[in-house]
Amino acid sequence: MKKYHIITFGCQMNEHDSETMAGMLSEMGMEESLTRNEADIVILNTCSVRENADKRFFGTLGQLKHKKENNPGFIVGVCGCMMQQQHIIDTLKAKYPWVDIVFGTHNIHMLPELVKNVETENRKMFEIWEDGGDIVEGLPAKRLYRHKAFVNIMYGCNNFCTYCIVPYTRGRERSRKPEDIIEEVKNLVADGVVEVTLLGQNVNSYKGGEGYDFADLIYDLNDIEQLRRIRFMTSHPKDLSDRLIQAFVDCDRLCNSIHLPVQSGSDEILRRMNRRYDHDKYLNLVRKLKASVPDITVTTDIIVGFPGETEEDFEETLRMAREVEYDSAFTFLYSIRKGTPAEKYEDQIPEEVKHERFNRLVDCINETAAKKNSAYVGTVQKVLIDGRSKNDIFTYSGRTEGFKLVNLKASDELIGKIVDVKITDSNTFSLVGEMIDD
């Protein structure tokens, strides 16, 4: 039996794509290998959003050269967002001749065919589609967890933020039919899934037909029996509706957490980013959320050092972070993405300035996160047990409804179960708890 190994870079969309590819390779009769050294085929699923993901991809790809030289039958495949950029394809052809298969974000369903062609015809397969075309339904998936699953509800993005390459790599927005999504979730629940995370570059702009929007989908999914938790990401503030905020109140399966990227607190930088909201509008959205759901957790993305960012602009970001009191944040140093409008901005920020501001922001975020986590000590939380902790095989970890990471003593029998946990301690990034006996 041949073995495959998939290495994933990037976001939850990429993770779900990797689950789909694993499902297709398994249906071809292959077995998953835990390491690339024992695999007959290695697939690298790439991300073009973050610079460090680019560097890690090329570094990993270089390490596969020796294995290919020693085993000509070994297959190397690359896919994902980076493959939708012509300069990346040109680099692969010129400097990485040991790559056998290259495909993009729009034709993942072709992986079995591409693998078979390489095996039977012994030639390289470069298959990149510029447009997505019709959404292919019914693809298999090999989930990382049996009790929870990612569900794509839409593909692509129409926002064209000036720093972001996603509209060019994932294409324009395409929404799945609501009946297909609902049927998929019902099938997942029948297979033991208790938590689904709805995925899209901007789930708030989902359109399921005339007059049917993302809030409608949440209400419909909330009616599925045996489904315990619904999550979603990522939300764009410009499309966060009052009805979706009301869904947090009405839908008992919708978890009390939201990831709401702000990117900057400065109106001028937000304008240059083409985000289509300002400081006050974003802050009012957060206030509405917290007024409707007082215990909601709010996380975000923030970019530091966007071209033209002054010290005053950065202070506005710090002010936003203090006003919102984020539970956590993904913070990024701005890096030029080839092919985006911001690439051509001349007022790039020196690296030393970026790093100094980044450190100040991280200190601010961590201080707030630690304070908010400390407030959970002594409370009882419902925790979905995910499995053994990565750092301690005798400790298990899970998530609260607010997506707080909790470490506790448990057992394998409780994986996939929701249990009552008393929080006994906290730190910046996680909580510590003890199960409450029935």
Side-chain angles (χ1 to χ4, degrees), residues 391-407:
N391 300 322
D392 181 358
I393 62 171
F394 300 107
T395 300
Y396 289 72
S397 63
R399 297 279 180 176
T400 68
E401 291 183 4
F403 206 64
K404 296 287 186 179
L405 178 65
V406 180
N407 293 309

Side-chain angles (χ1 to χ4, degrees), residues 10-33:
C11 66
Q12 285 85 356
M13 297 283 283
N14 278 29
E15 290 180 20
H16 186 45
D17 287 345
S18 291
E19 289 182 341
T20 299
M21 288 187 285
M24 289 188 287
L25 293 172
S26 296
E27 285 199 347
M28 292 179 69
M30 295 189 188
E31 180 183 13
E32 184 177 14
S33 170

Side-chain angles (χ1 to χ4, degrees), residues 139-200:
L139 294 176
K142 188 174 186 296
R143 301 194 307 271
L144 180 61
Y145 296 98
R146 182 169 178 79
H147 60 278
K148 61 183 184 180
F150 294 127
V151 177
N152 274 108
I153 67 169
M154 60 187 300
Y155 300 87
C157 183
N158 291 347
N159 289 318
F160 290 93
C161 300
T162 57
Y163 54 82
C164 185
I165 197 68
V166 166
Y168 309 97
T169 61
R170 291 276 180 179
R172 303 294 82 76
E173 287 180 359
R174 296 170 295 141
S175 295
R176 294 177 63 195
K177 296 177 182 178
E179 57 266 30
D180 290 336
I181 298 170
I182 294 168
E183 182 66 20
E184 179 180 348
V185 173
K186 286 181 177 179
N187 290 336
L188 288 168
V189 169
D191 193 41
V193 167
V194 296
E195 176 183 296
V196 295
T197 300
L198 309 178
L199 297 180

Side-chain angles (χ1 to χ4, degrees), residues 68 74-77 98-102 118 123-126:
K68 181 70 173 181
F74 171 60
I75 296 176
V76 179
W98 57 93
V99 174
D100 301 290
I101 300 173
V102 179
V118 169
R123 65 184 179 91
K124 299 182 185 302
M125 300 298 300
F126 280 68

Side-chain angles (χ1 to χ4, degrees), residues 103-247:
F103 57 105
T105 58
H106 303 309
N107 59 332
I108 288 175
H109 61 283
M110 292 186 64
L111 176 59
E113 178 184 344
L114 297 173
V115 172
K116 289 178 180 178
N117 286 343
V118 169
E119 291 177 331
T120 58
E121 301 177 21
N122 195 29
R123 65 184 179 91
K124 299 182 185 302
M125 300 298 300
F126 280 68
E127 190 74 29
I128 310 297
W129 293 6
E130 291 187 6
D131 298 310
D134 294 333
I135 294 173
V136 179
E137 296 286 354
L139 294 176
K142 188 174 186 296
R143 301 194 307 271
L144 180 61
Y145 296 98
R146 182 169 178 79
H147 60 278
K148 61 183 184 180
F150 294 127
V151 177
N152 274 108
I153 67 169
M154 60 187 300
Y155 300 87
C157 183
N158 291 347
N159 289 318
F160 290 93
C161 300
T162 57
Y163 54 82
C164 185
I165 197 68
V166 166
Y168 309 97
T169 61
R170 291 276 180 179
R172 303 294 82 76
E173 287 180 359
R174 296 170 295 141
S175 295
R176 294 177 63 195
K177 296 177 182 178
E179 57 266 30
D180 290 336
I181 298 170
I182 294 168
E183 182 66 20
E184 179 180 348
V185 173
K186 286 181 177 179
N187 290 336
L188 288 168
V189 169
D191 193 41
V193 167
V194 296
E195 176 183 296
V196 295
T197 300
L198 309 178
L199 297 180
Q201 304 300 149
N202 174 18
V203 291
N204 295 349
S205 63
Y206 171 83
K207 296 291 185 294
E210 186 174 353
Y212 190 101
D213 62 11
F214 183 52
D216 291 308
L217 180 63
I218 294 293
Y219 278 95
D220 284 345
L221 292 175
N222 194 67
D223 290 334
I224 297 177
E225 294 184 8
Q226 306 305 317
L227 178 62
R228 301 290 299 277
R229 290 181 172 182
I230 302 170
R231 302 188 187 276
F232 61 83
M233 65 184 313
T234 292
S235 297
H236 196 298
K238 73 177 180 64
D239 298 313
L240 180 59
S241 67
D242 288 344
R243 188 156 181 264
L244 181 56
I245 294 175
Q246 184 61 36

Side-chain angles (χ1 to χ4, degrees), residues 24 86 91 198 302:
M24 289 188 287
Q86 188 58 48
T91 299
L198 309 178
I302 301 175

